[in-house]
Amino acid sequence: MTDIEEKERLQKFMAGAGVASRRHSEEMIAGGRVRVNGQIVREPGFKVGGADRVEVDGLTVARRREFDYLMLHKPVGVISSARDDRGRRTVVQLLGREFGGRRLYPVGRLDFDTSGLMLLTNDGEMTYKLTHPRFEAEKTYLAWTPSLISAGQLRRLAGGVRLEDGMTAPARARLVSRAENISLIEITIHEGRNRQVRRMLEAVGLETRRLKRIAFGPLTLERDLTPGGYRLLRGEEITALRRVTEGRAL
Ligand code: URA
């Protein structure tokens, strides 16, 4: 395919990348919010190709197919790294043949006994940024504990607790339900220490029976995705991830 054949209209490119609908993209172009290779372009029919850099409000728009980004529902009993010395099953081995040889890597970790949302990608820069403490990507977990959790314990979790590797940063913690000696709490942290949520709960006297991650940065675990299931991220989800790592709003 020649370079000319690969080009597409700017508003189509923007819609395909999940920035906005084609119509809204046209308005953004007319409003002077879109640059191609550094120059403001106001003509909606302007053609862009693989080598062009498109920015909206100063933020580079991710090309949908430049890298692969997958949301995966990690089951309990699977290792979240790409390889395991002890021969246990890894999240990468859950992927079907269509992703064989694509070198997709998990972004961050979940314990062997934790389930929930994992992002896998071959975008190394994105992985670096999302796991870097400076970007502080938020992670939200559901934790089941066989106790009647008190308001004081929730306050301590939110305020920060002392662990052997230091105080935890302020978090959000709320009671979701409480029934028959099982409390379900939702906790949002933006650090990524080893077994952090389990250790935080333990520090306030709570045992973790089950732990599930339901959100990672702007991504939320899709309800229809059963453990072991995965899907490609949509364009707007990729753009939302970029927004977090570039620290700017579109
Ligand atoms: N905190 C934990 O304790 N375990 C995880 O897998 C993730 C966060």
Side-chain angles (χ1 to χ4, degrees):
M1 199 185 274
T2 67
D3 190 36
I4 290 168
E5 283 168 316
E6 279 176 35
K7 291 200 170 204
E8 61 184 337
R9 289 159 76 88
L10 188 48
Q11 70 272 41
K12 179 160 182 255
F13 166 83
M14 286 169 63
V19 173
S21 66
R22 277 197 205 188
R23 194 159 163 186
H24 188 205
S25 297
E26 281 175 12
E27 287 167 14
M28 291 170 119
I29 296 165
R33 296 171 60 185
V34 182
R35 286 176 190 264
V36 177
N37 304 324
Q39 300 293 321
I40 291 179
V41 170
R42 289 177 193 267
E43 180 199 334
F46 193 88
K47 295 275 180 72
V48 290
D52 293 317
R53 184 165 53 86
V54 177
E55 290 164 90
V56 176
D57 295 340
L59 180 68
T60 305
V61 176
R63 264 166 212 288
R64 195 199 278 276
R65 300 298 308 162
E66 204 175 350
F67 294 109
D68 299 301
Y69 303 90
L70 289 182
M71 171 189 295
L72 178 135
H73 187 159
K74 176 195 171 302
V76 167
V78 172
I79 288 286
S80 67
S81 48
R83 255 171 261 107
D84 183 49
D85 306 342
R86 290 154 64 186
R88 290 169 297 182
R89 210 144 78 106
T90 71
V91 283
V92 173
Q93 288 168 348
L94 295 172
L95 303 181
R97 285 208 188 138
E98 71 273 32
F99 292 104
R102 298 251 199 123
R103 293 180 182 276
L104 287 166
Y105 292 102
V107 178
R109 287 176 310 184
L110 284 180
D111 298 334
F112 189 69
D113 44 357
T114 301
S115 64
L117 173 55
M118 288 216 73
L119 170 65
L120 279 83
T121 184
N122 41 19
D123 180 343
E125 193 181 333
M126 169 85 77
T127 301
Y128 173 76
K129 287 180 170 173
L130 284 172
T131 52
H132 195 288
R134 187 158 79 82
F135 286 90
E136 300 179 340
E138 283 197 339
K139 289 151 283 226
T140 301
Y141 298 86
L142 289 178
W144 285 260
T145 176
S147 336
L148 280 174
I149 184 167
S150 69
Q153 283 168 314
L154 280 177
R155 265 199 307 275
R156 284 182 61 204
L157 287 171
V161 293
R162 184 169 301 286
L163 302 179
E164 60 191 17
D165 48 357
M167 286 296 286
T168 60
R172 289 199 302 277
R174 72 175 183 97
L175 184 66
V176 177
S177 64
R178 195 157 61 162
E180 309 233 343
N181 286 350
I182 276 278
S183 299
L184 173 59
I185 61 170
E186 186 184 282
I187 179 159
T188 302
I189 60 173
H190 50 76
E191 299 170 287
R193 302 195 218 168
N194 195 27
R195 295 183 79 81
Q196 180 165 342
V197 175
R198 290 172 200 274
R199 290 191 295 135
M200 286 172 74
L201 265 61
E202 195 184 343
V204 300
L206 297 170
E207 182 196 331
T208 304
R209 272 284 162 81
R210 196 179 149 205
L211 189 63
K212 179 178 181 183
R213 182 156 73 192
I214 56 167
F216 179 71
L219 305 177
T220 50
L221 183 64
E222 188 158 306
R223 275 171 193 266
D224 296 345
L225 213 53
T226 51
Y230 56 88
R231 68 157 171 81
L232 283 169
L233 291 192
R234 291 186 274 270
E236 63 267 25
E237 290 171 322
I238 299 168
T239 303
L241 279 172
R242 288 265 155 131
R243 210 180 287 166
V244 171
T245 53
E246 295 191 19
R248 310 256 314 258
L250 256 184

